Amino acid sequence: MSSVRDTRIRLPAAAAAATAAVVIAVLSLTAYGDGSSSGKYAKSGAGSVQDGDAPARKGKAGTGDSGGSGNKAVVCGGSGIKTVAAPVNRPVNHMLLTVTNTGSAPCDLYGYPAARFGKARSVPPVNEDSKPRVVIRLAPGESGYAAVNLSATDGSGTNGRTVKSLAVTFQDRAGEDTSWAAHPPLPAKGLYVDDSLSVTYWQQSMDNALSW
């Protein structure tokens, strides 16, 4: 009888010890699992995949990134572009400005050209209706366009004069004029302009530019 009672007393104790061991093991596994998960997420958060995705999205929002291709767009200007100014037959009294990207990276044409004719102290206003919805990006070899309304077609413009030189200043991402200007040649006889002078925003196509 006493041996039976002893066995019954020892069994609960052994069970309790076993239970305690299981609890300790579970707690140890849980603690290890939390640490492992935290380490995994921290590594993922700082990893090249997630960190690399964010700048790509930011670039598409207008930072000059060409969309994750590895090439970043610069502001069009300097020795990386060629600027041509040429009168057109239609619309009458208009001139077309053509900017071609001669560099090896994409460039962005921001805003509109600040076109200073002759010794003018001010530049023509821009036709706000011509503002495009996106920045004009030029891949190497591509061209962007802007039209210049030189004079009133009905002769109502004031201060008419003939000009023989032109300086075109470009804008940066903030819409400010850069310190660099192109000097495309004008026809030898010059161009007739008056105070109705105006320009369009830069456009992706010639047709868009001349439609204003």
Side-chain angles (χ1 to χ4, degrees):
M1 293 294 291
S2 60
S3 62
V4 173
R5 284 196 298 270
D6 290 344
T7 302
R8 288 178 179 177
I9 292 171
R10 286 195 295 271
L11 283 175
T19 302
V22 171
V23 170
I24 292 172
V26 171
L27 289 175
S28 299
L29 288 173
T30 303
Y32 177 80
D34 287 346
S36 175
S37 297
S38 298
K40 180 179 180 182
Y41 291 136
K43 184 176 180 181
S44 176
S48 60
V49 175
Q50 290 190 5
D51 286 356
D53 286 346
R57 289 193 297 271
K58 185 177 181 182
K60 290 179 181 179
T63 61
D65 195 326
S66 60
S69 64
N71 273 338
K72 291 193 173 183
V74 297
V75 178
C76 293
S79 59
I81 63 169
K82 179 182 179 181
T83 306
V84 175
V88 295
N89 293 328
R90 293 190 179 278
V92 295
N93 300 351
H94 275 63
M95 181 182 73
L96 183 69
L97 289 174
T98 302
V99 172
T100 303
N101 180 3
T102 60
S104 59
C107 74
D108 289 335
L109 275 173
Y110 290 95
Y112 56 90
R116 193 180 304 275
F117 288 89
K119 298 180 180 180
R121 296 182 179 180
S122 60
V123 297
V126 64
N127 181 344
E128 290 293 344
D129 292 336
S130 67
K131 187 173 185 178
R133 295 183 178 181
V134 296
V135 174
I136 305 304
R137 175 162 293 179
L138 305 180
E142 286 187 338
S143 298
Y145 308 88
V148 182
N149 182 8
L150 298 171
S151 59
T153 57
D154 59 2
S156 62
T158 58
N159 194 25
R161 65 230 182 246
T162 298
V163 294
K164 294 188 177 183
S165 65
L166 170 64
V168 179
T169 302
F170 294 79
Q171 295 182 341
D172 59 20
R173 291 178 174 86
E176 300 293 332
D177 289 346
T178 63
S179 59
W180 183 87
H183 298 271
L186 298 180
K189 64 179 181 180
L191 292 175
Y192 179 82
V193 300
D194 62 28
D195 287 346
S196 62
L197 263 172
S198 66
V199 300
T200 68
Y201 281 89
W202 292 112
Q203 308 291 326
Q204 197 76 58
S205 73
M206 184 188 307
D207 290 341
N208 283 349
L210 294 177
S211 67
W212 302 98

